[in-house]
């Protein structure tokens, strides 16, 4: 199929793009990996297409321990994933982006676009929600920031106004002692996940879990963070036989709702939720312990230099 008739615009500044979008029924084109198929299948039929790929400066990526990682609207998945400063500042970004679709799509698709597309089967909405990130949007009325907890209204529905353009997204820097991890099960590599789990865990110096939060891909309530601290607090990260890990699996199975489709039954997805939750939370806890060790070593070196 082909897209329905539309008018094509190619603005040279974000201000011009906002002016165009303010007065028309339009969609914004950045990477286009979700939008173009929707247009071709006529699942979306806007009267105007505003192509922002020619706007300079919208592919920037900045990273620091103080401000976190900010990636602009045209930064592709591949570019964000390969950015060393971003990887050092918030490692979960690179880990998650390696799971997004196929290399061809990662080379073209944009991370901001994936987030605001609000697909519950995609990794990046779950990542920014777990990390308590935010999206910066702009319109003729000015700029505003939308926190991740307020961004997702439902599947394929965000809180952006019809005249707003997402120009950047920001996630906070990782903290010592707080680790992250992600894993998923898909029918084939690059396919949408049957179930994906994104976890954050804080650990003590003694190697015990202090807290754990999880977001899900293709499972649970989209845009929600589930706190499992009441179940897993005190678990030993070096002992997989600690009964708290089995308790975590059971809790995930009972707390997270799943739905059937042509690819998997609800029961099968529920089993994946149970197995992956314990595995990914443990990986996040191990990551947190490693970051704590690295941080303490750095402090020791700094102390020695100062002396």
């Amino acid at each position: 199929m082909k897209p329905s008739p539309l008018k094509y615009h190619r603005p040279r500044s974000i201000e011009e793009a906002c002016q165009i979008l303010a007065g028309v029924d339009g969609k914004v084109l950045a990477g286009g990996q979700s939008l173009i198929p929707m247009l071709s299948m006529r699942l979306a039929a806007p009267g105007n297409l505003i192509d922002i790929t020619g706007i300079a400066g919208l592919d920037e990526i900045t990273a620091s321990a103080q401000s976190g990682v900010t990636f602009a609207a045209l930064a592709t998945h591949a570019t964000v994933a390969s950015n060393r400063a971003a990887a050092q500042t918030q490692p979960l970004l690179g880990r998650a982006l390696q799971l997004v679709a196929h290399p061809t799509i990662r080379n073209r698709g944009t991370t901001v676009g994936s987030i605001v597309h609000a697909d519950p089967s995609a990794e990046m909405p779950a990542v920014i929600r777990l990390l308590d990130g935010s999206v910066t949007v702009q319109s003729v009325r000015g700029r505003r920031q939308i926190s991740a907890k307020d961004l997702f209204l439902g599947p394929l529905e965000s809180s952006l106004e019809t005249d707003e353009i997402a120009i950047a997204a920001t996630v906070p820097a990782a903290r010592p002692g707080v680790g992250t991890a992600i894993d998923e099960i898909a029918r084939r590599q690059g396919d949408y996940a049957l179930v994906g789990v994104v976890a954050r865990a804080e650990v003590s110096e003694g190697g015990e879990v202090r807290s754990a939060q999880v977001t899900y891909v293709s499972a649970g309530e989209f845009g929600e963070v589930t706190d499992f601290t009441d179940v897993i607090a005190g678990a030993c990260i070096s002992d997989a036989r600690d009964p708290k890990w089995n308790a975590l699996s059971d809790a995930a199975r009972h707390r997270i709702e799943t739905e059937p489709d042509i690819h998997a039954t609800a029961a099968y997805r529920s089993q994946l939720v149970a197995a992956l939750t314990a595995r990914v939370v443990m990986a996040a806890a191990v990551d947190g312990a490693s970051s704590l060790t690295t941080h303490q070593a750095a402090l020791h070196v700094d102390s020695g230099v100062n002396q």
Side-chain angles (χ1 to χ4, degrees):
M1 295 182 66
K2 296 181 180 180
S4 57
L6 52 79
K7 185 175 181 180
Y8 176 79
H9 305 265
R10 190 171 171 82
R12 292 297 177 181
S13 69
I14 193 65
E15 290 77 15
E16 182 185 353
C18 291
Q19 287 287 348
I20 296 170
L21 188 60
V24 301
D25 165 33
K27 290 288 187 180
V28 176
L29 173 66
Q33 298 305 291
S34 297
L35 179 60
I36 296 301
M38 291 178 67
L39 294 176
S40 297
M41 291 184 286
R42 300 201 177 188
L43 296 175
N48 295 264
L49 186 65
I50 297 95
D51 182 352
I52 64 171
T53 58
I55 299 178
L58 275 186
D59 58 351
E60 295 180 350
I61 302 171
T62 60
S64 72
Q66 292 72 37
S67 59
V69 181
T70 297
F71 39 94
L74 297 181
T76 66
H77 299 310
T79 303
V80 177
S82 63
N83 187 283
R84 289 188 177 184
Q88 292 173 351
T89 304
Q90 181 45 261
L92 182 59
L93 280 177
R95 295 167 185 160
L97 288 167
Q98 292 299 326
L99 297 175
V100 173
H102 304 277
T104 303
I105 291 176
R106 294 197 293 270
N107 286 337
R108 181 63 183 173
T110 62
T111 306
V112 172
S114 177
I115 291 169
V116 298
H117 184 54
D119 189 336
S121 300
E123 294 84 2
M124 298 317 296
V127 168
I128 195 170
R129 180 64 185 93
L130 180 74
L131 295 177
D132 298 318
S134 63
V135 170
T136 302
V137 301
Q138 185 167 333
S139 68
V140 292
R141 301 185 306 279
R143 293 187 180 186
R144 69 182 179 113
Q145 278 195 330
I146 306 175
S147 66
K149 66 182 178 63
D150 299 321
L151 181 62
F152 305 112
L153 302 181
L156 303 179
E157 186 179 6
S158 76
S159 57
L160 272 72
E161 300 293 339
T162 57
D163 64 342
E164 289 181 322
I165 299 174
I167 60 172
T170 300
V171 294
R175 295 186 289 114
V178 179
T180 54
I182 180 172
D183 198 4
E184 63 185 30
I185 299 295
R187 296 174 68 237
R188 292 177 296 270
Q189 185 176 6
D191 280 6
Y192 283 117
L194 295 175
V195 167
V197 175
V198 192
R200 175 179 59 198
E202 183 176 6
V203 299
S204 67
E205 293 184 6
E208 293 185 344
V209 178
R210 284 180 171 170
S211 65
Q213 295 80 37
V214 178
T215 53
Y216 290 90
V217 178
S218 299
E221 187 71 24
F222 178 54
E224 293 295 322
V225 176
T226 303
D227 195 323
F228 287 105
T229 301
D230 61 321
V231 178
I232 201 62
C236 178
I237 67 173
S238 61
D239 184 6
R241 296 172 298 178
D242 187 321
K244 287 182 178 291
W245 295 110
N246 284 332
L248 176 59
S249 290
D250 291 337
R253 181 183 287 108
H254 290 98
R255 294 184 187 182
I256 305 303
E257 295 184 2
T258 58
E259 296 183 358
D261 60 17
I262 61 173
H263 301 300
T265 65
Y268 179 60
R269 278 199 165 93
S270 185
Q271 180 59 29
L272 293 181
V273 164
L276 282 176
T277 297
R279 181 193 307 174
V280 178
V281 170
M282 176 173 276
V286 170
D287 181 59
S290 177
S291 70
L292 190 59
T293 300
T294 301
H295 178 68
Q296 291 172 338
L299 290 178
H300 180 73
V301 170
D302 289 342
S303 176
V305 170
N306 291 334
Q307 289 178 356

